[in-house]
Amino acid sequence: EADIYQTPRYLVIGTGKKITLECSQTMGHDKMYWYQQDPGMELHLIHYSYGVNSTEKGDLSSESTVSRIRTEHFPLTLESARPSHTSQYLCASSALGATVVNTEAFFGQGTRLTVV
Amino acid sequence: KQEVTQIPAALSVPEGENLVLNCSFTDSAIYNLQWFRQDPGKGLTSLLLIQSSQREQTSGRLNASLDKSSGRSTLYIAASQPGDSATYLCAVMGAQKLVFGQGTRLTINP
């Protein structure tokens, strides 16, 4: 069973509010990812990290920001939420491919964000 | 840049049929390929993982193959059931990131 957790599972928030979506994993994985998915649509990578103090932008431009101060924690922040941010956000982690054989990716349950 | 394509985008078959979902990728320098299942409004459930050195993996009624040199993978589902209805996603793990295909929306009709 995957040990990667996202909180909250559901969030309804007003426009202009600052929000932080939490993602934590207990597997010691160096790589972590954030994906955004609109209902019925494909997943888009918005941020990823190779390890502590490493953050990279993904394939889809996003107004969110991320930080990686600890290996196990990869929070995503929206400084000022807008209705266009309404979506599902999925967090994942994996080991670094250069150091281990098993690079299976594990996903959290997701956070469904609604901005009203 | 790695690109992953899944064909078909949607598939509807009667219960009991065997079926094949296809996934192709453009860069063969991968660590692994994973097949996921996603139910509407839910997260991802990992079905099968094929390491780059492997050619296939099996789990129950599911069998996934990998031909890295041609950039192709297939997911074979035997004796399909209505409970198999979901979106199936393949994803390839490269040196930098995990790249997904667009998914195949599968409907199994009773």
Side-chain angles (χ1 to χ4, degrees):
Chain A
E1 190 171 327
D3 295 321
I4 179 165
Y5 308 100
Q6 290 185 242
T7 57
R9 290 288 307 279
Y10 304 92
L11 179 61
V12 180
I13 200 163
T15 297
K17 299 290 187 183
K18 178 180 178 179
I19 59 172
T20 297
L21 307 185
E22 302 288 349
C23 177
S24 295
Q25 51 94 7
T26 59
M27 296 172 281
H29 286 164
D30 288 307
K31 291 178 86 170
M32 296 189 75
Y33 314 80
W34 276 104
Y35 291 85
Q36 183 177 346
Q37 186 182 34
D38 293 329
M41 305 299 286
E42 61 190 280
L43 279 84
H44 292 286
L45 180 66
I46 52 175
H47 299 283
Y48 61 103
S49 166
Y50 292 109
V52 171
N53 294 326
S54 152
T55 61
E56 303 285 343
K57 290 190 180 298
D59 302 318
L60 180 69
S61 176
S62 173
E63 294 169 344
S64 60
T65 59
V66 292
S67 63
R68 191 87 182 275
I69 298 173
R70 303 197 316 264
T71 297
E72 62 270 22
H73 196 212
F74 191 40
L76 181 144
T77 298
L78 279 164
E79 290 292 334
S80 179
R82 295 208 299 264
S84 61
H85 296 140
T86 294
S87 190
Q88 177 165 237
Y89 294 84
L90 291 162
C91 179
S93 73
S94 69
L96 268 176
T99 58
V100 298
V101 173
N102 187 351
T103 54
E104 181 175 5
F106 295 90
F107 277 79
Q109 290 296 306
T111 294
R112 184 170 297 281
L113 173 66
T114 302
V115 183
V116 298
Chain B
K1 177 187 173 185
Q2 178 73 271
E3 293 182 0
V4 181
T5 303
Q6 291 187 244
I7 294 172
L11 181 64
S12 180
V13 301
E15 180 178 3
E17 283 202 3
N18 303 324
L19 56 100
V20 175
L21 307 182
N22 297 290
C23 173
S24 62
F25 49 96
T26 55
D27 186 351
S28 62
I30 64 171
Y31 287 118
N32 67 44
L33 184 145
Q34 279 182 262
W35 282 93
F36 293 89
R37 168 186 172 137
Q38 187 176 34
D39 294 292
K42 304 292 186 183
L44 275 67
T45 300
S46 182
L47 297 173
L48 288 165
L49 166 74
I50 311 178
Q51 302 287 3
S52 63
S53 58
Q54 298 174 323
R55 301 233 4 132
E56 68 176 334
Q57 282 289 327
T58 298
S59 176
R61 295 183 292 109
L62 305 180
N63 175 275
S65 68
L66 174 64
D67 184 342
K68 206 171 70 163
S69 61
S70 67
R72 295 179 188 275
S73 176
T74 61
L75 179 67
Y76 175 83
I77 302 177
S80 59
Q81 302 171 357
D84 294 332
S85 297
T87 296
Y88 290 80
L89 297 153
C90 75
V92 295
M93 176 71 79
Q96 288 191 325
K97 49 193 174 181
L98 181 67
V99 181
F100 279 86
Q102 306 93 321
T104 293
R105 189 170 299 171
L106 177 64
T107 303
I108 307 298
N109 301 303

